[in-house]
C-alpha cells in the first residue's frame, strides 16, 4: 500500500476495495457455514487490527492533506469510525451468543447489559482501575475524556500529565492513600526544606485532584451502566411490538438516546454539580501551587514571572480607567454633551408586578424629569 | 435465542459501509477547503483595544433612521449572526430595512485579563453607542442583545436609558436560578476566584468542555455520525463545517469580567434579586423603561426559556413583548424557520415603534 502513498485518491480506492473484498469473503464464508469460535470474529479475522490499522494509517495520511478547518473534524470522524467498528463487533458477539440462549426475558436483558459492560471495560465502579475514566470515556469512543485533555492543556508539564505521572496510590485503597499522605506530611528539614515542603504540598494536592477525578469518573460510570439498562429495555420493547432495528445505525441512534437519557438522570442529581465542581476546584488548587513553584524558579533565573505580569497588567488597566475618567471630564468641559433629553420611557408609574401582555401595547409616555437621570461617570478604582 | 432485532451480516456490512463512507467523504472534505463565514459586506467604523465596531452595508435605499446595534456574547464569535448567505440574521435585518451595526469583541489575551464588566458595558458598549449616535446625529439608537450580549444590553439600558430607543433581547438569560438551568447548577459550587486567579483569562476550551458536557453523546458522537451521511455533498458539508468552526471558535474570557459574571449572575443572581453594581452604579431592571422585545427559544438547553421569560416580571417597561421561537439556542440564529420568522418580527416591532 505504501506505493500509493503519493496519491490519496488511489489510496482511498485501494483501501475501499480491500474492505469490499474482505466483506465479500466473509459473506461467502458465512454462507458456507463457517463457525466463528472463541475470540474470533469477522471484525478481527485476518489478525488483530485488520480494520483499525489501515484506517489509522489512512487517517494520518489524509489529515496532513486536509485544510486546517477540516483537520479536527477528520480526526473526530476517524475516532467515530473506530467506535462504530467496535460497536459492530459488540453486537456481532451478542448475536453469536444469542443463538444458544434459552432464558427468560429478564435473563436476556441481563445478557445484553453484560455484553455492553464487557465491551466498555466493565463499567469500573470500584475505583481500582488504573485509568479513572475507563468504562465510560472509552465506551464506543464516548466523550468525557475531553476533560482530561483540557486539564493537561494548560499544565506547565508537557503531555498528558495525569496519565504520565499517575502517582502510585493515587487511586489506591484508602489505607494505602492514608499512608502516602502521612509520608507526605513528614516535616521537611535541611537546606532545601522550603522546596521539599512545596513538593510535598504539590503531591498532596495532586492526590486530592486524583481522588476528585476518580469520584467524578465513578459517577459517570453510572451513566454507562444506566444507558445499558435503558438500551436493553428498549430493545425488549421493540421486540414485543414486533419491530426491529434497521441496521447498525439505528442501533447506534438508540444507544445515543439511551446515553443522553441516562446522562440527564445523573446530571439532575445533586452529586453531579458537587463532584464536578470539586474536580475543577481541585485541579485549580494544584495548578495554582504549580504556578507558585514555577514563579520561584523563574525568579531564581531572573526571568519575568506570572505574578509580575499580572501586577503590570493590573496597573495598566487601572491607569487606563483613570485616563478614561479624565477624558470624559475634559470632553464634557470642552463640548458639553448634548442636553440629556428625557429617556424614552413607558413606565408611567411605578412598574407593576402584574403580568404583562404578550401583545405589544403602547402606553403613553410619561418621562421622569431629565434631572433625575444620574449622569454616568467611570469610577476610578481604589 | 436473544431477541435482538439485528442480523449479523447486516451489522458487519453497516460497520464497513460507514467506514467506506468516511474514506470517500474525506476526499470531499479536502476539496471543500477552508470555509468562509461572515458573508455580508461590512465596514469597520470604530476600534478600541481589541473591539471592532462594524457597520453593514444597507441593502435598501432608505434604511431605518434609527440604527440597530447588535451586542453579541463574549462567548463564541458574533459571525453566527451572519454565518452564510442563506443563514444570516444580519442579512435579513438589512433586507427588512434596518441599518445594522455589530460589535466584534475580538480575542482577549493576557493584557486584557483585568477587563471588568464595567469596561465592557460602560466603556466599550457605551463608546460604540456614542459613535453611532454621533455618526447619525441621534441621541438614541436601538439595541439587539444576544445571549450574554442580551444581559449586557439590559445592564447598559438600565444604566444609560437615555441612549436606547428600543431594546431587543434574544435568548437572553435574566433569572439565573430557574429550574433545569444546568449551566447555572454547575457554576454554583465552582470556586471562580480560584479559577480566575489560577488561569487568568478563562480558556475557551473550558467553556467548550462545559457546553459539550451538556449533551455529550449527541454533541461529540452522533453529530459526526450524521455528518458521515452528508460527506458526499459539498454544500451540506460546508454548512456543517461553518457551524463546526463557530462552535469551536471560542475566545478566551477576560478573567475579571468572567469572575464577575459568574459570581454576580450565575451564583448570586443579582440581576433579579438586586444588589448588582457595575462601575459603582446600581443596575436595576426597573430602570429599563423603554420598549422591550424579548425573543426566546422554547427548546433552549443553554438558556432555559424560564430564565428569559423572567424578564417580564422584573423589567420596568410597560411596553413588553415576548416572542417564543420553537427551536433551540443555535437554531434561533441559523434554522430556515428562524430566517423567515425572527428578523421580520424584529424589524416589524422596531418599525412600529420608530419615532
Amino acid at each position: 500500500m505504501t506505493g500509493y502513498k503519493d496519491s490519496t485518491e488511489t489510496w482511498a480506492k485501494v483501501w475501499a476495495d480491500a474492505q469490499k473484498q474482505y466483506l465479500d469473503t466473509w459473506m461467502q464464508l458465512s454462507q458456507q457455514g463457517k463457525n466463528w469460535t472463541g475470540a474470533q470474529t469477522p471484525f478481527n479475522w485476518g489478525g488483530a487490527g485488520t480494520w483499525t490499522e489501515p484506517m489509522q494509517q489512512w487517517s494520518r495520511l489524509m489529515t496532513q492533506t486536509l485544510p486546517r478547518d477540516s483537520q479536527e473534524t477528520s480526526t473526530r470522524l476517524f475516532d467515530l469510525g473506530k467506535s462504530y467498528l467496535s460497536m459492530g463487533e459488540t453486537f456481532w458477539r451478542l448475536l453469536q451468543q444469542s443463538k444458544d440462549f434459552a432464558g427468560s426475558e429478564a435473563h436476556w436483558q441481563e445478557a445484553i447489559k453484560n455484553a455492553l459492560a464487557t465491551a466498555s471495560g466493565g463499567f469500573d465502579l470500584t475505583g481500582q482501575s488504573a485509568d479513572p475514566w475507563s468504562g465510560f470515556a472509552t465506551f464506543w469512543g464516548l466523550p468525557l475524556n475531553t476533560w482530561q485533555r483540557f486539564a493537561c492543556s494548560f499544565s506547565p508539564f508537557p503531555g498528558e500529565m495525569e496519565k504520565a505521572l499517575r502517582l502510585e496510590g493515587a487511586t489506591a485503597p484508602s489505607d494505602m492513600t492514608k499512608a502516602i499522605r502521612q509520608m507526605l506530611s513528614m516535616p521537611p528539614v535541611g537546606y532545601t526544606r522550603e522546596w521539599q515542603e512545596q513538593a510535598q504540598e504539590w503531591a498532596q494536592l495532586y492526590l486530592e485532584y486524583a481522588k476528585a477525578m476518580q469520584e467524578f469518573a465513578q459517577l459517570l460510570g453510572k451513566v454507562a451502566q444506566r444507558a445499558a439498562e435503558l438500551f436493553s429495555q428498549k430493545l425488549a420493547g421493540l421486540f414485543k411490538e414486533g419491530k426491529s432495528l434497521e441496521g447498525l445505525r439505528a442501533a447506534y441512534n438508540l444507544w445515543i438516546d439511551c446515553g443522553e437519557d441516562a446522562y440527564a438522570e445523573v446530571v439532575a442529581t445533586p452529586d453531579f454539580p458537587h463532584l464536578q465542581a470539586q474536580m475543577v476546584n481541585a485541579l485549580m488548587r494544584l495548578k495554582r501551587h504549580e504556578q507558585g513553584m514555577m514563579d520561584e524558579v523563574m525568579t531564581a533565573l531572573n526571568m519575568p514571572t506570572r505574578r509580575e505580569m499580572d501586577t503590570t497588567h493590573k496597573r495598566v488597566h487601572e491607569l487606563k480607567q483613570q485616563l478614561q475618567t479624565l477624558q470624559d471630564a475634559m470632553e464634557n468641559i470642552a463640548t458639553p454633551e448634548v442636553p440629556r433629553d428625557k429617556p424614552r420611557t413607558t413606565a408611567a408609574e411605578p412598574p407593576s408586578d402584574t403580568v404583562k401582555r404578550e401583545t405589544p401595547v403602547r402606553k403613553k409616555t410619561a418621562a421622569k424629569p431629565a434631572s433625575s437621570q444620574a449622569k454616568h461617570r467611570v469610577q476610578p478604582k481604589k | 435465542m436473544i431477541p435482538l432485532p439485528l442480523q449479523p451480516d447486516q451489522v458487519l456490512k453497516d460497520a464497513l459501509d460507514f467506514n467506506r463512507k468516511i474514506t470517500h467523504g474525506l476526499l470531499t472534505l479536502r476539496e471543500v477547503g477552508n470555509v468562509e463565514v461572515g458573508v455580508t459586506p461590512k465596514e469597520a467604523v470604530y476600534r478600541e483595544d481589541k473591539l471592532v465596531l462594524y457597520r453593514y452595508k444597507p441593502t435598501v435605499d432608505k434604511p431605518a433612521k434609527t440604527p440597530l446595534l447588535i451586542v453579541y456574547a463574549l462567548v463564541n464569535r458574533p459571525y453566527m449572526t451572519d454565518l452564510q448567505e442563506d443563514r444570516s440574521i444580519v442579512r435579513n435585518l438589512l433586507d427588512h430595512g434596518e441599518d445594522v451595526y455589530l460589535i466584534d469583541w475580538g480575542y482577549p489575551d493576557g493584557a486584557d485579563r483585568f477587563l471588568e464588566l464595567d469596561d465592557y458595558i460602560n466603556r466599550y458598549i457605551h463608546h460604540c453607542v456614542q459613535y453611532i449616535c454621533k455618526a447619525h446625529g441621534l441621541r438614541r439608537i436601538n439595541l439587539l442583545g444576544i445571549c450574554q450580549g442580551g444581559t449586557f444590553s439590559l445592564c447598559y439600558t438600565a444604566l444609560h436609558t437615555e441612549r436606547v430607543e428600543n431594546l431587543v433581547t434574544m435568548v437572553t438569560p435574566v433569572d439565573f436560578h430557574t429550574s433545569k438551568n444546568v449551566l447555572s447548577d454547575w457554576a454554583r459550587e465552582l470556586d471562580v476566584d480560584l479559577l480566575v486567579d489560577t488561569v487568568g483569562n478563562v480558556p475557551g476550551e473550558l467553556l467548550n468542555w462545559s457546553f459539550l458536557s451538556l449533551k455529550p453523546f449527541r454533541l461529540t458522537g452522533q453529530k459526526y455520525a450524521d455528518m458521515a451521511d452528508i460527506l458526499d455533498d459539498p454544500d451540506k458539508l460546508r454548512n456543517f463545517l461553518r457551524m463546526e468552526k463557530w462552535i469551536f471558535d471560542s475566545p478566551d474570557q477576560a478573567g475579571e469580567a468572567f469572575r464577575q459574571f459568574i459570581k454576580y449572575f450565575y451564583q448570586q443572581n443579582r440581576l433579579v434579586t438586586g444588589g448588582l453594581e457595575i462601575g459603582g452604579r446600581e443596575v436595576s431592571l426597573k430602570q429599563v423603561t423603554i420598549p422591550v422585545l424579548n425573543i426566546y427559544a422554547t427548546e433552549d438547553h443553554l438558556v432555559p426559556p424560564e430564565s428569559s421569560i423572567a424578564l417580564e416580571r422584573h423589567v420596568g417597561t410597560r411596553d413588553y413583548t415576548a416572542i417564543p421561537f420553537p427551536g433551540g439556542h443555535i437554531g434561533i440564529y441559523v434554522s430556515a424557520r428562524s430566517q423567515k420568522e425572527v428578523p421580520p418580527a424584529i424589524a416589524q416591532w422596531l418599525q412600529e415603534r420608530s419615532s
Side-chain angles (χ1 to χ4, degrees), chain B residues 61-74:
Chain B
D61 290 339
K62 288 186 181 173
K65 284 182 183 168
T66 308
L68 175 65
L69 172 62
I70 298 178
V71 181
Y72 197 75
L74 302 177

Side-chain angles (χ1 to χ4, degrees), chain A residues 111-338:
Chain A
I112 293 173
K113 219 167 67 183
N114 289 342
L116 294 175
T118 306
S120 70
F123 303 146
D124 177 51
L125 302 178
T126 63
Q128 304 305 306
S129 167
D131 184 351
W133 298 94
S134 67
F136 182 78
T138 55
F139 191 16
W140 290 341
L142 283 173
L144 290 192
N145 58 349
T146 317
W147 168 256
Q148 244 176 326
R149 289 201 295 269
F150 166 74
C152 297
S153 69
F154 60 99
S155 166
F157 298 106
E160 292 200 21
M161 178 197 76
E162 193 279 322
K163 273 189 182 169
L165 294 180
R166 195 159 285 163
L167 289 184
E168 284 299 324
T171 58
S174 59
D175 52 346
M176 191 186 290
T177 310
K178 197 176 163 189
I180 292 171
R181 283 183 186 282
Q182 281 172 347
M183 207 166 68
L184 288 169
S185 302
M186 286 169 63
V189 291
Y191 182 68
T192 61
R193 78 161 302 285
E194 295 302 311
W195 188 252
Q196 284 176 50
E197 196 172 64
Q198 288 203 18
Q200 281 177 333
E201 193 180 341
W202 179 89
Q204 293 271 21
L205 290 170
Y206 177 79
L207 286 176
E208 280 171 23
Y209 169 56
K211 182 170 171 281
M213 194 166 60
Q214 180 86 31
E215 286 172 359
F216 187 58
Q218 280 176 30
L219 183 70
L220 291 181
K222 292 180 184 170
V223 175
Q225 195 177 38
R226 177 70 180 138
E229 278 172 18
L230 291 173
F231 190 67
S232 61
Q233 284 169 14
K234 288 193 179 181
L235 284 179
L238 283 173
F239 183 74
K240 275 184 186 167
E241 292 168 20
K243 294 177 182 169
S244 63
L245 291 170
E246 291 176 9
L248 193 55
R249 180 57 178 278
Y252 175 76
N253 287 341
L254 185 64
W255 165 249
I256 294 288
D257 289 344
C258 295
E260 287 295 356
D261 289 349
Y263 183 73
E265 285 177 17
V266 171
V267 164
T269 63
D271 280 352
F272 189 94
H274 172 69
L275 293 177
Q276 189 185 53
Q278 186 175 274
M279 179 181 71
V280 176
N281 294 341
L283 178 67
M284 290 307 128
R285 281 192 289 275
L286 177 68
K287 297 290 165 198
R288 187 91 178 123
H289 187 74
E290 282 173 0
Q291 284 172 356
M293 293 172 77
M294 292 295 282
D295 272 6
E296 288 206 10
V297 173
M298 300 304 268
T299 304
L301 295 170
N302 195 25
M303 300 278 282
T305 64
R306 179 74 261 164
R307 208 166 41 225
E308 286 171 25
M309 292 298 290
D310 282 350
T311 305
T312 309
H313 285 150
K314 191 167 189 186
R315 283 182 189 159
V316 170
H317 181 254
E318 286 169 352
L319 279 172
K320 201 159 183 173
Q321 283 186 319
Q322 287 167 8
L323 180 67
Q324 187 64 52
T325 308
L326 288 171
Q327 272 179 345
D328 287 348
M330 284 171 69
E331 276 173 22
N332 282 339
I333 293 166
T335 49
E337 201 171 349
V338 283

